Amino acid sequence: FRSIGAKENPFDPAVEPETPSSPVDTDQVDGCFIEDIDVYNHGQENLPWRARLDSGMEDNAISEEKAVETGFEIEPYTGRDIIVGNGDTLRPVGYIELQFHFQRVQAGKTWKLRFLVIPGDPPFDVAFGRKFIFKAKLFARPSEAFPMKYK
């Protein structure tokens, strides 16, 4: 009996499949994927920040402290309270639209996104949610993914 590798049988639980690398040179800090970005403030100066890639979030978010630091107007939030991962609820301060670019890859591309402004002391400067992560192709989709469709 010979065990075949993940390339021959990606569903063999005895073999650890190769994980495709991200096109972004992403660091991992405390189990979170982190990317360095430059955000443009109201005076068009670069603010170097760390962004968390959080596929569990749908939208993008920014700490209130960092939003104020940009000098841009924060549009009031009028939606419902948000339930976070631990079950607690929070009420965002508002929205802010910012321009930024990645420091290490895709550095020539400037992105403009809307962020929810989170009060208090969230564990990030900026967090990118899954909509942006997949749009920007920050994580590669594993070739071993099993495509499924419902009838």
Side-chain angles (χ1 to χ4, degrees):
F1 174 69
R2 174 179 88 76
S3 177
I4 60 175
K7 287 190 190 288
E8 291 87 5
N9 182 2
F11 305 108
D12 182 354
V15 178
E16 183 71 29
E18 294 178 25
T19 302
S21 62
S22 166
V24 174
D25 185 16
T26 303
D27 292 331
Q28 217 175 347
V29 178
D30 294 330
C32 299
F33 291 101
I34 303 291
E35 184 60 39
D36 295 320
I37 62 171
D38 284 328
V39 177
Y40 301 106
N41 71 6
H42 197 273
Q44 291 298 310
E45 299 170 324
N46 284 346
L47 302 171
W49 291 346
R50 307 229 61 200
R52 174 183 279 191
L53 306 182
D54 191 339
S55 62
M57 291 175 45
E58 189 168 325
D59 295 313
N60 307 306
I62 184 172
S63 72
E64 184 176 16
E65 175 188 349
K66 293 299 182 182
V68 169
E69 189 178 326
T70 68
F72 289 111
E73 181 181 348
I74 298 173
E75 176 186 326
Y77 181 77
T78 57
R80 297 181 302 181
D81 287 359
I82 295 175
I83 301 172
V84 295
N86 66 3
D88 291 345
T89 60
L90 69 83
R91 180 138 189 96
V93 174
Y95 293 103
I96 192 167
E97 200 166 272
L98 298 174
Q99 291 185 358
F100 69 92
H101 67 268
F102 294 102
Q103 289 180 1
R104 293 184 277 188
V105 294
Q106 299 181 13
K109 180 173 175 91
T110 299
W111 296 89
K112 185 175 186 177
L113 294 178
R114 190 175 191 198
F115 293 87
L116 275 172
V117 178
I118 305 299
D121 190 22
F124 53 78
D125 293 338
V126 171
F128 295 122
R130 73 176 158 271
K131 287 179 185 176
F132 177 71
I133 291 170
F134 292 117
K135 178 181 179 182
K137 298 181 178 147
L138 298 179
F139 287 136
R141 182 176 180 183
S143 60
E144 296 86 17
F146 187 62
M148 294 176 57
K149 289 186 180 178
Y150 292 97
K151 289 184 179 184

